[in-house]
Amino acid sequence: MRIGDFESPQRASSAIPSAASSTIKLNTLGRGRKIGYERNVASALLQQRQALRVIRDNVDVTPKPLVHTAFSTIDEGQLTAFETIELQTGSVSQLMASSSRISGSLKTSSSAFLKSSSMPTDDFQLESLLSTQLCKLSEEDDEDEEPPAFFLPSDDMTTFATRPEKVTIILRETQTFFIFEMPQLTEDLRSTEGQAVQRENENYEYVTVGPGSTRKLLDVETQTIRVLTKSRGTFLGVRPRKSRGVFVNNWTMHDTYAAPELMIEKDGRMIVHSRESMDRMRQAQELWYKLPDSEAVLDPSPEEQLSRIYRESRFLDAACVMERILANNVFVAAQKRFTGLTKRDPYALDLEFNYRLDLLWTYTCEAARDRSVAAFRWSPLNANVLAVAYGAKTGSDRTNGLLLIWCAKNPSQPDRTYTFDSPLSDINWSKERPNLLAVGFYNGNVKVIDVRAKEVNVIRQSCRETSIASSPQWQVQWWVGDEQFDYQEQIYTSDQDGRVYCYRFGEDLLATEIMRLYRVEGKLAGISRTDHCVTYDVLISRQPGALVLRRHPTSSNIYFVGSDEGCIYRCSTNYLYHYIDCFLAHNGPVYSLEFSPFCQKLYLTCGADWCTRIWAEGVTEPLITLSTAMACVRNACWSPTYSTIIASIINDQICMWDIRRKTHVPTSITVSRNGARLVAADFTTNGDQLIVADAEGVVYVYNLEGIPFPPYDQTKVLIESVHKALITKPELLRKLKKLGPPF
């Protein structure tokens, strides 16, 4: 094959003659031999090439052959599919032959028909769609050209089908698949579907409750719980606030800042009024200015300006922040210990387990001087906020009450100061709404205030029309309600008249009496009562005072009441005016009742008989009795982080007990600084601090030092300590083990 046999496509396109004047010649006779020879040579070369292998990094990377083995044998007399398409469409060129070189005449017609013999001897000049160059051969060349490798066979290869004048295309719709469908549940009454639905509803009413019904249907209440009617006033709970982004365009900002006269600051809040309301306010202000003044003051004095600035809420907030910054310079070391940033090295060589109390600071101010602390509660949401209620003091001429909100960020000044007409008896935070604080008073009233405001903001309060309580409310607690109250928090109180009330958190704070205590006559289970001389005095009241009110930690319908005669009443919200069980816990008033945070079957009580006792639920005999001096124990509490540590207060002493080590004497005793009688004590949530209050209005914050490391299994250590204390009481130990796990 010569190099001149192939030409470029540009040259080939110029060499193709037109259909009217020239013919395309293809020599098909004398080229077979040369092509066959070249095919044999190519086959040999391909076989030699296929025998070679290219190995790189132990991987065979030999290129695969370009021609598939299935298309290796093709007849020479056949035309390929691409050449057939080319000849049918006529997009590239037209194929013509000369009558002098073709055996048999070729007649030209409008159908573009071409016929040749199976062994053509004519010369043709052909352009294929697969070729990129046009091969032009001379007439003297007797060599054949090899056909392409791919073809589509037909019945008659010498006849080319004509192009149809019309092509029919049929389009059919495929099946519809519904991925998601949400049918509507309502119809328009003006439409046909809506009228059909209305007819179906009328037919249903006719069949069920109308004349066409076969049986009557009644909507009545049968065997249901008591229907609770709603009072006239309704309370809309505070919606939860969330920070969300809002799109504001330039027009909105322009309208807002273009009319600043419509915004007025009131109580630290910006209030936006309409133009009509602002006009009415201006008119009322003008009328007020027209009234004659008692003394005309043109320019206010500096004292009046300072007084007006002092009443501004923004100034008070800025002053509070500045006071906290200044207090940080004084209490920074104590505040770090309070928050847990600074702790003693547990691996120190001089470490001793001496259960020592180290005073961090005291909460005291001039307003709380000579006021007895009635109760204090830590906020359930913020561990730095402490609410302290101050009640009446014997021999004092003060008849009002005081509530202070202290913050650990500034121990020198309270953040909130609220004054009331009556002394306070108890307070408690709401867990669902931490900004609400329930307050009980000596006159029997109950109020709910919002501590977010600097002034007293009473949300709910009881009155004589809704509550008959007139004696001091010794206990005020928030309990999560049951199904009857839609699982919302309700306020439960106990007063000096021996009554337990449930206040529904509605608009009127309606009180419902759920329990009334009566003095128990005869001998009771529990401890032995001290024998008194026989007297014939007539008791003023047959109802003992309910000093302590505690809810069961696991059973929501069980609660305990401690009276001033030393009895513990086990009651249930399902049984009104009747208690389930009763036993004598102390030979005198009961001042405290606390369940163990690690074992709900154990609880402690303290009273006026100089003792602190540990009880097991279901056993009327005390398991452990802790006593030091001949004085009443005003309060006792469990440690939330160490199961065997108990703190109690006696006169001006703080006693730390560890029943794991010994029960006959406390492990440490701390005496109050000013020597005043202590009235309340409680641990913080993390158990690192102990808060103690006295009768002079001072609250002490102690940090626990030298406390042993808490054990891995707190409950197991607590039960083992109780068993160790009962080693000399086998009968009581046998009763304790009958209670089941964990005993």
Side-chain angles (χ1 to χ4, degrees), residues 227-235 486 504 506-508 510:
V227 179
L228 301 175
T229 59
K230 185 169 60 176
S231 59
R232 292 184 179 180
T234 58
F235 171 72
D486 296 333
R504 295 199 61 186
E507 184 178 358
D508 49 2
L510 179 63

Side-chain angles (χ1 to χ4, degrees), residues 124-153:
F124 290 98
Q125 196 173 20
L126 179 64
E127 181 180 2
S128 175
L129 292 178
L130 292 179
S131 62
T132 58
Q133 295 180 351
L134 183 65
C135 178
K136 182 179 179 182
L137 303 176
S138 61
E139 296 181 357
E140 291 80 14
D141 193 359
D142 296 337
E143 298 175 356
D144 253 3
E145 185 182 37
E146 184 178 0
F150 305 97
F151 69 96
L152 295 176

Side-chain angles (χ1 to χ4, degrees), residues 43-89:
S43 300
L45 293 176
L46 289 176
Q47 292 177 0
Q48 295 178 2
R49 182 179 299 176
Q50 291 176 358
L52 300 177
R53 289 293 180 267
V54 179
I55 305 300
R56 182 177 183 180
D57 297 335
N58 297 328
V59 179
D60 189 2
V61 294
T62 306
K64 296 182 180 180
L66 299 178
V67 181
H68 200 272
T69 56
F71 305 97
S72 59
T73 57
I74 300 178
D75 297 338
E76 297 179 359
Q78 295 177 344
L79 295 177
T80 63
F82 295 100
E83 294 170 350
T84 305
I85 296 173
E86 178 185 1
L87 293 176
Q88 289 181 359
T89 57

Side-chain angles (χ1 to χ4, degrees), residues 508-742:
D508 49 2
L509 206 63
L510 179 63
T512 303
E513 182 180 335
I514 63 174
M515 188 62 191
R516 181 182 299 180
L517 303 180
Y518 292 96
R519 296 192 181 273
V520 180
E521 302 294 340
K523 188 175 181 179
L524 292 176
I527 65 172
S528 300
R529 189 189 297 270
T530 305
D531 296 334
H532 299 280
C533 298
V534 179
T535 58
Y536 299 95
D537 295 338
V538 178
L539 297 176
I540 298 176
S541 175
R542 296 185 61 250
Q543 297 177 357
L547 305 182
V548 179
L549 178 65
R550 288 291 180 271
R551 196 180 192 182
H552 197 278
T554 57
S555 300
S556 60
N557 60 333
I558 301 297
Y559 63 95
F560 293 83
V561 180
S563 65
D564 58 1
E565 61 180 357
C567 295
I568 300 295
Y569 298 85
R570 187 171 183 266
C571 309
S572 174
T573 56
N574 299 330
Y575 302 98
L576 304 181
Y577 312 112
H578 183 71
Y579 57 86
I580 301 175
D581 192 10
C582 176
F583 66 95
L584 188 63
H586 293 274
N587 191 12
V590 180
Y591 293 129
S592 177
L593 190 151
E594 296 289 342
F595 281 88
S596 173
F598 299 98
C599 181
Q600 283 72 24
K601 292 185 178 182
L602 293 178
Y603 60 93
L604 63 82
T605 59
C606 65
D609 58 351
W610 322 328
C611 296
T612 300
R613 294 185 173 93
I614 299 177
W615 306 80
E617 188 178 0
V619 179
T620 58
E621 298 180 30
L623 305 180
I624 300 175
T625 302
L626 309 176
S627 178
T628 56
M630 299 174 61
C632 64
V633 183
R634 292 292 303 178
N635 205 338
C637 52
W638 296 89
S639 172
T641 57
Y642 206 103
S643 60
T644 59
I645 293 181
I646 299 173
S648 62
I649 53 176
I650 303 172
N651 286 340
D652 60 343
Q653 299 179 356
I654 307 173
C655 301
M656 299 295 298
W657 301 84
D658 190 353
I659 60 177
R660 184 182 182 182
R661 300 181 63 181
K662 49 189 174 181
T663 59
H664 59 282
V665 291
T667 54
S668 68
I669 297 177
T670 305
V671 182
S672 177
R673 283 194 172 185
N674 58 0
R677 180 173 53 89
L678 303 177
V679 294
D682 193 11
F683 286 93
T684 55
T685 306
N686 56 9
D688 296 336
Q689 289 80 30
L690 180 67
I691 315 301
V692 181
D694 61 7
E696 299 295 334
V698 182
V699 180
Y700 304 89
V701 179
Y702 290 96
N703 193 66
L704 276 68
E705 300 291 344
I707 302 299
F709 302 108
Y712 178 75
D713 193 345
Q714 299 268 24
T715 305
K716 182 180 178 181
V717 173
L718 176 60
I719 301 304
E720 290 178 354
S721 302
V722 173
H723 287 178
K724 180 181 177 181
L726 297 178
I727 196 66
T728 58
K729 300 178 181 179
E731 294 296 333
L732 184 57
L733 183 59
R734 189 179 301 108
K735 293 180 182 180
L736 182 64
K737 292 182 178 180
K738 288 182 179 180
L739 298 179

